Amino acid sequence: MSQQKTFSEGFIDGYRSVKGAGAALPGIPAHAIPAGKTEYQHGYDEGKRKAADS
């Protein structure tokens, strides 16, 4: 069983790190993982960016 977290988990965690734990979530965007990042890391960064932009 894999212990790696997914892009979606990272996106949710990143979004809620800015908006708060009870924040309504936007849709999870389509994504490609850049070299040098895990799915979770990229998702977290994208979630924070989306929260800051909204």
Side-chain angles (χ1 to χ4, degrees):
M1 182 164 68
S2 175
Q3 295 295 323
Q4 291 184 336
K5 291 190 174 187
T6 65
F7 175 88
S8 296
E9 290 171 311
F11 184 87
I12 291 166
D13 290 347
Y15 189 86
R16 288 188 169 160
S17 76
V18 175
K19 295 290 191 177
L25 296 168
I28 305 296
H31 59 279
I33 308 304
K37 287 199 173 185
T38 66
E39 286 190 42
Y40 182 84
Q41 288 170 332
H42 184 56
Y44 191 91
D45 292 345
E46 290 297 302
K48 283 181 69 173
R49 185 189 59 73
K50 179 73 172 181
D53 289 348
S54 62

